[in-house]
Amino acid sequence: MVSGIFILCFLAFSQFADAQESSSDLKTQWASQLNVDEPLPEYPRPQLKRAKWENLNGQWDYGITNQAGERPTTYDGKITVPFAVESSLSGVKKRVGDDEVVWYRTKFQVPASWKNQNVVLHFGAVDWEATVYVNGKLVGMHQGGYDPFSFDVTTTLNRSGWQELMVKVWDPSSDGTQPRGKQVTKPSGIWYTPVTGIWQTVWMEPVPQQSIQNIKITPDIDQGRLMVKTVGNGQLGDGYSVQLTALDGGTTVASAKGSVGQDVALNIKDAKLWSPDNPFLYDLKVALLRNGKKVDEVESYFGMRKISAVKDANGHMRMALNNQVLFQYGTLDQGWWPDGLYTAPSDEALAYDIKVTKKLGFNTIRKHVKVEPARWYYHCDRLGMLVWQDMPNGDKSADWRGPSGYDGREMERSAQSAHQYYKEWKAIMDANHNKPSIVMWVPFNEAWGQFNTVEVINWTMEYDPSRLVNGPSGGNFFAAGHTVDEHRYPGPSMPQRNLHAPDIINGRILLLGEFGGLGLPLEGHLWQKDKNWGYRNLTGRDELLSSYKDLLAKIPTLIKDGLSAAIYTQTTDVEGEVNGLMTYDRAIIKMDVDEVHKANSALYKN
C-alpha cells in the first residue's frame, strides 16, 4: 500500500519528464526594485549581531573556465552577487557544467576605524565548493551548499588601499554525491534548475583578537531558564568570562555570568512563551570579559518555547507546543524564485511568503529539501511560524524512489558520500540551532538518498534532543524517530496501523507530510508555456477553492483518529509545477484569502 502512494505521485508528473529547459523571463514585483550595486543590504545574521560590518554584495567580475584551468586573466563580465549564475537576477543566466568552475573577483577597502582589529570574511552560503583568495593568497576552502562559513583574512590584507577578493566555485549539481536538493542538470517535473556559486550575502566585520565566535541557545520552559553556551575565538585563558543579559524591550529580566565554552543558565521568571499566536522574542546581549572588562559583545534574541511528544486521553501520540497539544497545519515550501532561483530578490520578498502563509491560516512551514538564509528564519521567529527543516537530499536522489523502492532497504553510499552527508547535516543543524521557529528536523524525504536510516535518525535525536525528528518523511519507514509520516496525493490520509509493523507505528506521532497538490495554471504567470502540471489539474479558481475545501473537510476525522499534523503542497508554483497557493511570481494568491483562512482555522479546533 505504501509503495502505491508513490506510484500515484510518479504517474502525476512522469508525463512531463521530457519538458524542455525554460528560458523564462518570469519575474517577481521585487525584481524591478533591485539595486544591483547594493542588493540585500540587511544585516545577514540577526542572532549574532555586531555594530560594525560591511556588506560586499554587488557587482563583481566573473569568468567561467575549465575546471583544471588557471584563474582568468580577463573576465566574461559582471555578476550581481549574491544571485546564482543560472538566475536572471545575476545578470548572467548561464548553465555551468560539472567540468567547469566559476571565478568571482571584487575589490574592497577596510575602514580605517577597524585598525588593530582582526577582519573576518563571511559567506552566507556558496553552492558547492568554494576556494577563497585574498590578495592572491589562499585563505581557505569550504564544501557545503547550505551552511555559512567564515575566514579570518587579517594576515592577507595589504596595509592600506584596495584589497582583492577572489572566489573559485565548483558545483557538480546532480552529477555529484553532495546534498543539493531539487537541483538537476536536466530540470523537469519535480526537479528544478541548478544553482551554482554564491547565493547568500558576502560580508565582513572587525573583531578583537579575543572574541565571541558563536553562541548556542537552548530554552527550557519547564525549568524557567535559557541555557547559553558561548564559543570563543583566540587565546582565552584565565581571566576571561561571559556576561549574559536578557531583555524584554529595554528592561533587563535576567542576567548571569559564567565561563567561556560552558553552559550558563539565565533564569527567566514568568517567561512569555513563544508560539504562532504570540511570537514573543526576548533580546539577548552576550559580552566577553577579561578581568571584568568588556572586550567583545554581540546582540541576539531568543524565544522561550518547547516542542515535545505527548500521549492524549485516547492514547494517541501528539505534538505539543509549550506542553499544549497543537495541530500543526502547514505548507510545503520549496523556497524557489523565478528570477533569483535559490535567492529571494529582496528581504521584503523573503518575508512575503511567510506573511501570506500566515494570513491564509497556516501555522507551519515545511522547508523542503532546502535551507534558507538566516533572515528567513528570523522572519518566521518574529512573525510566529513553526518550521520543519528538511535536510537537502543528494547522491542518487534523481531516482525519485531511491534504489529499491519502499521495502525497507536502503541505498549504499560510498564512504565519501556518507561523510559529506553527516558533515553538512551537522553544519546545518549547528547554524540553525538557535531559531525558536524550528521545531522539527527531517533527515530524509521519500527515500531520496536514504541510507543508514536508524543511525542517522538516532544521531540527529541525540545531537539535538530539544526538537522532534521526522525521518524519513514520506515512506520507507524504520522503527526510529518520533514520527511516522505518510505522503498522499491528493489525499488526505494518514499512516494506518494495519499497514505497518507495530514497532514502527506504536509510540510515534502520525503525520501527513505532503498532500493536496491541486494544480491551476494561470496565463501570464507561468515559467513555461506548456506541460505545466499538478497532482490534480483544475480549470478555474472557483473549482480550486471548492476542491481545496473538500480535501480539508476530511481532515477532522483523521485528527480524531490520531493525525497530529498535515502539510499541503505547496506555497507557490515552482517552474513547471502549478500546484501553488500562489503563482511562481507571487503576483496572485489563487484562492480567496478569507475563505482559506476560515477553512484552515477550523482544523485547530479538533
Side-chain angles (χ1 to χ4, degrees):
M1 182 66 177
V2 173
S3 61
I5 297 168
F6 301 96
I7 291 172
L8 178 62
C9 299
F10 175 75
L11 291 175
F13 65 78
S14 62
Q15 60 184 302
F16 305 103
D18 60 346
Q20 299 300 307
E21 293 182 6
S22 173
S23 59
S24 174
D25 288 320
L26 187 69
K27 287 183 171 60
T28 65
Q29 60 179 306
W30 300 280
S32 63
Q33 304 165 19
L34 180 69
N35 180 346
V36 296
D37 295 316
E38 297 181 358
L40 304 181
E42 296 79 12
Y43 192 87
R45 194 180 59 185
Q47 282 189 296
L48 194 68
K49 189 173 182 179
R50 287 188 171 89
K52 294 182 179 180
W53 72 292
E54 291 284 333
N55 194 320
L56 298 180
N57 291 345
Q59 294 293 286
W60 294 30
D61 298 320
Y62 88 93
I64 300 173
T65 70
N66 184 286
Q67 187 179 0
E70 299 294 326
R71 61 174 286 180
T73 54
T74 59
Y75 287 81
D76 298 342
K78 296 290 185 179
I79 184 170
T80 304
V81 170
F83 297 100
V85 174
E86 296 87 351
S87 71
S88 62
L89 289 183
S90 72
V92 177
K93 203 175 182 183
K94 292 181 180 178
R95 293 291 179 86
V96 182
D98 67 337
D99 58 347
E100 296 178 311
V101 294
V102 183
W103 294 85
Y104 296 81
R105 184 183 68 174
T106 190
K107 291 186 177 181
F108 65 92
Q109 289 184 302
V110 178
S113 61
W114 295 12
K115 186 177 180 180
N116 298 324
Q117 297 194 77
N118 289 4
V119 176
V120 179
L121 177 65
H122 297 277
F123 294 84
V126 180
D127 195 4
W128 172 75
E129 178 184 274
T131 307
V132 181
Y133 306 84
V134 173
N135 295 323
K137 301 172 185 176
L138 174 67
V139 297
M141 189 266 281
H142 177 267
Q143 291 180 331
Y146 301 94
D147 59 300
F149 59 97
S150 305
F151 299 115
D152 188 322
V153 299
T154 309
T155 60
T156 66
L157 297 174
N158 300 323
R159 290 189 175 183
S160 62
W162 289 98
Q163 318 286 339
E164 182 191 58
L165 169 60
M166 177 173 287
V167 184
K168 174 185 176 183
V169 180
W170 174 65
D171 179 17
S173 190
S174 54
D175 293 322
T177 61
Q178 82 291 347
R180 42 85 181 174
K182 287 199 169 184
Q183 305 175 59
V184 292
T185 55
K186 296 181 180 179
S188 66
I190 63 170
W191 306 100
Y192 314 141
T193 304
V195 172
T196 301
I198 299 170
W199 68 276
Q200 290 187 29
T201 291
V202 184
W203 55 290
M204 61 181 182
E205 64 178 349
V207 301
Q209 290 185 2
Q210 285 75 36
S211 61
I212 298 166
Q213 180 174 311
N214 204 355
I215 55 176
K216 183 178 181 180
I217 302 170
T218 308
D220 183 350
I221 70 168
D222 294 332
Q223 299 297 321
R225 64 185 184 180
L226 181 79
M227 304 305 297
V228 181
K229 182 178 181 179
T230 303
V231 179
N233 185 57
Q235 307 247 339
L236 301 175
D238 294 339
Y240 283 91
S241 61
V242 291
Q243 176 72 46
L244 309 176
T245 307
L247 303 101
D248 179 348
T251 303
T252 297
V253 296
S255 62
K257 188 175 180 181
S259 300
V260 179
Q262 301 295 319
D263 283 322
V264 180
L266 269 171
N267 295 315
I268 312 296
K269 186 177 180 181
D270 300 322
K272 298 178 181 178
L273 301 183
W274 184 96
S275 70
D277 291 333
N278 181 39
F280 182 82
L281 298 173
Y282 290 92
D283 293 320
L284 177 67
K285 291 185 178 181
V286 181
L288 178 67
L289 310 178
R290 182 174 59 196
N291 298 323
K293 183 179 179 180
K294 186 191 302 181
V295 296
D296 191 19
E297 184 175 54
V298 296
E299 296 181 356
S300 188
Y301 69 84
F302 65 94
M304 293 296 289
R305 68 100 184 90
K306 174 186 177 182
I307 187 72
S308 59
V310 300
K311 186 176 289 188
D312 68 13
N314 296 317
H316 301 306
M317 295 302 298
R318 302 284 188 182
M319 288 191 291
L321 182 69
N322 301 330
N323 296 318
Q324 299 294 318
V325 172
L326 174 66
F327 186 77
Q328 296 184 23
Y329 183 49
T331 60
L332 192 75
D333 194 302
Q334 314 269 10
W336 286 75
W337 300 82
D339 38 25
L341 297 180
Y342 256 17
T343 309
S346 71
D347 193 61
E348 179 186 359
L350 194 67
Y352 179 78
D353 286 2
I354 304 165
K355 291 179 179 179
V356 170
T357 302
K358 193 171 182 70
K359 191 174 182 180
L360 288 168
F362 297 91
N363 64 10
T364 302
I365 291 174
R366 180 183 170 199
K367 180 50 62 176
H368 191 41
V369 296
K370 185 200 176 191
V371 182
E372 292 288 358
R375 291 195 64 85
W376 186 85
Y377 301 96
Y378 163 67
H379 292 312
C380 289
D381 293 342
R382 70 179 181 85
L383 294 170
M385 185 62 69
L386 303 172
V387 175
W388 300 6
Q389 180 59 57
D390 286 14
M391 170 61 171
N393 48 284
D395 210 313
K396 298 177 182 177
S397 300
D399 177 5
W400 72 278
R401 289 194 61 198
S404 57
Y406 294 86
D407 54 6
R409 288 181 288 171
E410 307 162 286
M411 72 170 292
E412 294 184 9
R413 288 192 183 226
S414 68
Q416 173 275 329
S417 175
H419 171 77
Q420 195 63 40
Y421 175 96
Y422 277 111
K423 177 184 175 183
E424 294 197 40
W425 186 218
K426 178 181 180 297
I428 289 166
M429 292 176 66
D430 286 342
N432 295 288
H433 176 86
N434 295 341
K435 280 73 171 181
S437 54
I438 298 179
V439 294
M440 182 123 69
W441 299 118
V442 187
F444 298 115
N445 177 76
E446 293 185 1
W448 296 348
Q450 187 176 336
F451 78 111
N452 291 357
T453 308
V454 174
E455 177 185 294
V456 169
I457 291 173
N458 287 342
W459 179 89
T460 305
M461 293 172 68
E462 291 169 7
Y463 194 67
D464 185 7
S466 70
R467 290 181 171 90
L468 299 176
V469 176
N470 173 19
S473 176
N476 207 25
F477 303 123
F478 287 74
H482 296 108
T483 69
V484 181
D485 178 350
E486 176 182 295
H487 297 176
R488 173 81 68 150
Y489 288 102
S493 66
M494 61 186 287
Q496 299 297 315
R497 289 174 173 81
N498 63 332
L499 296 180
H500 302 290
D503 63 332
I504 289 176
I505 289 287
N506 292 343
R508 293 193 168 83
I509 303 163
L510 305 182
L511 308 177
L512 176 57
E514 293 181 28
F515 85 105
L518 302 177
L520 178 64
L522 293 180
E523 192 69 31
H525 305 278
L526 300 174
W527 173 261
Q528 56 197 33
K529 292 181 179 180
D530 54 16
K531 298 181 180 177
N532 298 288
W533 69 278
Y535 288 99
R536 176 184 291 170
N537 292 322
L538 305 175
T539 57
R541 298 175 71 173
D542 289 342
E543 184 186 10
L544 176 62
L545 179 60
S546 175
S547 298
Y548 180 79
K549 287 182 176 180
D550 287 345
L551 293 183
L552 255 63
K554 302 173 184 177
I555 292 181
T557 298
L558 300 176
I559 295 174
K560 291 177 182 177
D561 289 340
L563 185 67
S564 197
I567 302 294
Y568 180 81
T569 300
Q570 60 187 334
T571 307
T572 71
D573 295 349
V574 184
E575 301 202 353
E577 294 185 46
V578 291
N579 47 24
L581 296 164
M582 290 184 280
T583 53
Y584 197 16
D585 58 6
R586 276 71 167 175
I588 297 176
I589 302 173
K590 296 183 183 180
M591 294 183 283
D592 182 272
V593 172
D594 292 336
E595 289 290 326
V596 173
H597 186 279
K598 181 180 178 181
N600 290 351
S601 298
L603 300 180
Y604 309 127
K605 299 176 182 179
N606 289 274

